[in-house]
Amino acid sequence: MAVLTSRATDFPRWYQDVLAKAELADNGPVRGTMVIRPYGYAIWERMQADVDARIKAAGAVNAYFPLFIPESYLRREAEHVEGFSPELAVVTIGGGKELEEPVVVRPTSETIIGEYLAKWTQSYRDLPLLLNQWANVVRWELRPRLFLRSSEFLWQEGHTAHVDEAEAAAYARRIALEVYRDFLTDVLAIPVLIGTKTRKERFAGATNTMTCEGMMGDGKALQMATSHELGQNFARAFDIDFLGADGAKHLAWTTSWGSSTRMVGGLIMAHGDDNGLRIPPRLAPTQVVVLPVRDDETVVAKAREIAAALTDAGLRVQVDARPGLSFGRRVTDAEIKGIPVRVEVGPRDLAAGNVTLVRRDTSVKAPVPLAEAAGRVPALLDEVQAGLHAEALALRESRTADVTTVADAAQAAQTGFARIPWRLVGEEGEARLAEDALTVRCLQTPDGEIPPAGGDPDDLVCLIARSY
C-alpha cells in the first residue's frame, strides 16, 4: 500500500501527505496558522543561513522592528494601505482597555521602518542605509495552505534608502539576482524565471517589482521571492529626506525585498515525487543517511565508522539504527524526508568488502568498495544536485508553450506556462485572463532577462500561468 497519495491522482492531497509524513508542519490552533516541526524548521534554518549570508555580502545589516504598527502609519501611503487592507489583523484592546489608536500586526514593515529611516537620515553621508530583518508577519488568509499561504509566516524583509533613483534601482536588482535568483537556482536547484510584475501585480506602493517565478510539479507557478523599487512614495509619506552634497534637501529613494517560508513549499512541490521529498544536497539538513540492514552489533558498529569518515569529509551525516524499526521502514522514512544519499550496510555487503550507495533522486543503487565510500559520496551529492536542477528545468521547458493569442495563452496555461509578446496581451488581455484565474507572472526581455528601466514595453514577453 502506498504511503503517499500519487501526485498524478491528487496533487494537493499529495502535498498534504508529504507535510504530514515527512514531519514538516502541522496546522496551528487558530485557522491559517502553522506549527513548523523540527525537520521542517531545520530546512528553513538552512535556507535562512544561506540567504542571510548573501544579504550581508550585498552590504545590508540586520536589525529588528516592532510587531505592532500604529494604524495611522499605514494610512500615510494610500496605495499601500489599500493593497493590504483586506489582510490586516488589527488590535483594538490592550491590557483590558480599548486602545486610543488601533495597532496593526505587521503585514510588512515599510511603514514603521520608513519612520526610523527618516529619523536616522540627515545627510547624504548617512546613505545608503541598508537594513534587513528576520521576523514573522501576519496577513489574514482566507484560503490557507501550509507554507504557501498562512496567516502568519516567517520571512526576511530588506529595506533600504538611497541618494538617487539609479542607485536604488541597481540595489533592488542586485538583491533580485545575487541573493534570490542565485540562491534559488544554485542551492534549491529550482530554475526560476526572473522579470518584472505588471502594473496590476506590483507590490502595493512600489514603482517596480522584480520577481522570481518557479514552476511546480503540477505546472503551476509559485512566486518565490520579490524585490521592489519604491521610488519616493514612502520617502514622501514619512519625510525620509537628507541634506545633499549641494547643500539642498532631497527626498531619498527606497527599496524593499523579501523571501519567506513559502520557499519550503516551493521546494516540496518543485522536486517532490510519489515517494516524498527530494532535497538538493546543498540545502539538505542531512545529506547522507547510513542504514544498517540488520540490528547486528558488528553491522551497526561498521555503519557508525562509515558515518564518522563521511563526517570527517565535511558532510552532514546521520546513522539510522533505531531499534524496533525494520530496515524497510527506515528506508521509507529516509525517502519521504528526501535525504539525498543512502549508504546501506549489510552483512553480505561487508563480507564482500562493499556498501551500497543509493541516490534519492533516481533510486539508482550501486555497490561500492568500503574503502572508497567516503571518497565517492561527495561527487555523488554533486550529481544529485545537478540532476534535480536538470529535471526541474526539463519539466519547465516541456510545459512552456510559445503562443500568439490570448485565447491560446489561456489554453496553454491550463497545464503549464504560456509565453507571449506583451503587446499582444496588454492590460485588457490581462483582465480577460484574470476571469479564468490566470495571471501574468512576469515580464521579461526576449532573452529572459529583467527589462531595463525605461525600455519599450512592446519589446517584452510575458509568462502566463495558474499560480499558488
Side-chain angles (χ1 to χ4, degrees):
M1 182 178 175
V3 177
L4 305 174
T5 302
S6 165
R7 294 190 310 157
T9 302
D10 188 339
F11 195 86
R13 182 71 259 169
W14 166 84
Y15 180 78
Q16 293 300 126
D17 285 353
V18 172
L19 291 175
K21 299 294 185 180
E23 300 179 338
L24 298 174
D26 210 339
N27 289 302
V30 175
R31 185 178 182 276
T33 62
M34 66 174 169
V35 175
I36 304 176
R37 299 185 66 176
Y39 189 59
Y41 201 80
I43 294 170
W44 171 241
E45 281 184 313
R46 294 280 310 165
M47 292 181 177
Q48 185 182 41
D50 196 298
V51 171
D52 190 62
R54 291 169 190 267
I55 288 170
K56 287 171 179 169
V61 293
N62 286 337
Y64 186 80
F65 293 84
L67 175 68
F68 296 126
I69 301 173
E71 189 178 49
S72 59
Y73 280 25
L74 272 78
R75 302 201 179 281
R76 292 192 207 173
E77 215 291 324
E79 189 179 347
H80 190 69
V81 69
E82 182 181 348
F84 280 102
S85 187
E87 301 175 330
L88 297 180
V90 182
V91 179
T92 59
I93 296 174
K97 296 180 180 179
E98 188 166 336
L99 299 177
E100 290 184 14
E101 178 186 355
V103 296
V104 172
V105 183
R106 64 175 166 229
T108 179
S109 298
E110 278 76 10
T111 57
I112 192 165
I113 293 179
E115 176 80 5
Y116 286 86
L117 288 176
K119 182 178 180 180
W120 299 337
T121 302
Q122 280 81 44
S123 163
Y124 70 95
R125 296 184 183 88
D126 298 323
L127 299 176
L129 239 177
L130 311 175
L131 303 176
N132 178 66
Q133 79 164 342
W134 291 93
N136 62 335
V137 290
V138 171
R139 299 179 185 176
W140 212 254
E141 184 57 55
L142 298 178
R143 293 178 295 279
R145 186 174 296 183
L146 293 179
F147 287 118
L148 301 177
R149 290 189 178 276
S150 52
S151 294
E152 180 194 9
F153 55 91
L154 305 180
W155 78 345
Q156 59 72 214
E157 51 177 315
H159 301 268
T160 70
H162 302 264
V163 294
D164 59 42
E165 183 177 17
E167 182 183 280
Y171 194 78
R173 182 176 290 237
R174 179 181 182 183
I175 293 293
L177 294 172
E178 295 180 15
V179 176
Y180 298 144
R181 183 197 61 184
D182 289 357
F183 168 74
L184 293 166
T185 302
D186 298 344
V187 180
L188 263 58
I190 299 175
V192 293
L193 296 164
I194 190 160
T196 58
K197 289 292 189 182
T198 63
R199 185 183 301 273
K200 177 180 178 293
E201 294 291 327
R202 278 180 200 156
F203 177 75
T207 59
N208 184 37
T209 289
M210 288 162 279
T211 180
C212 293
E213 301 282 333
M215 179 182 280
M216 302 297 99
D218 59 353
K220 289 184 180 179
L222 183 70
Q223 179 180 291
M224 305 285 289
T226 51
S227 182
H228 317 287
E229 297 170 43
L230 303 178
Q232 293 179 310
N233 293 341
F234 287 87
R236 191 170 291 110
F238 289 88
D239 298 321
I240 309 171
D241 54 32
F242 62 93
L243 197 64
D246 58 2
K249 273 203 168 185
H250 301 270
L251 278 178
W253 298 78
T254 66
T255 78
S256 68
W257 25 276
S259 61
S260 75
T261 39
R262 171 177 279 205
M263 292 191 296
V264 179
L267 170 75
I268 298 166
M269 295 192 297
H271 295 311
D273 64 13
D274 283 354
N275 293 322
L277 281 171
R278 294 190 301 172
I279 303 182
R282 291 176 190 166
L283 177 73
T286 299
Q287 296 173 305
V288 186
V289 59
V290 184
L291 295 176
V293 173
R294 291 184 185 173
D295 186 11
D296 174 275
E297 187 176 326
T298 302
V299 174
V300 172
K302 183 57 70 173
R304 297 194 188 283
E305 184 181 311
I306 294 166
L310 291 167
T311 300
D312 288 343
L315 304 180
R316 298 183 290 278
V317 187
Q318 171 192 348
V319 176
D320 187 356
R322 288 174 291 173
L325 286 183
S326 69
F327 175 68
R329 169 63 188 277
R330 286 179 283 126
V331 166
T332 299
D333 281 356
E335 288 191 332
I336 287 175
K337 291 189 173 182
I339 298 173
V341 169
R342 297 198 309 271
V343 180
E344 298 178 354
V345 185
R348 291 180 184 175
D349 288 329
L350 293 177
N354 294 328
V355 293
T356 300
L357 302 186
V358 188
R359 289 175 58 156
R360 173 62 184 88
D361 62 327
T362 61
S363 299
V364 169
K365 296 186 176 186
V368 172
L370 182 59
E372 297 178 14
R376 293 276 291 273
V377 171
L380 190 59
L381 290 170
D382 288 340
E383 291 176 26
V384 174
Q385 181 80 27
L388 287 172
H389 183 274
E391 188 176 331
L393 181 59
L395 173 71
R396 192 185 78 194
E397 291 182 344
S398 70
R399 297 180 76 166
T400 300
D402 287 298
V403 298
T404 55
T405 69
V406 172
D408 287 345
Q411 181 65 34
Q414 301 302 318
T415 55
F417 290 179
R419 185 166 46 214
I420 182 173
W422 172 238
R423 60 183 168 76
L424 300 178
V425 180
E427 293 185 358
E428 184 179 331
E430 187 178 18
R432 289 207 307 274
L433 291 163
E435 294 173 3
D436 295 324
L438 300 170
T439 52
V440 175
R441 302 312 304 161
C442 66
L443 303 174
Q444 297 182 312
T445 61
D447 58 356
E449 298 298 323
I450 300 173
D456 185 351
D458 286 348
D459 291 340
L460 303 182
V461 296
C462 66
L463 278 297
I464 295 165
R466 295 192 179 279
S467 67
Y468 285 94

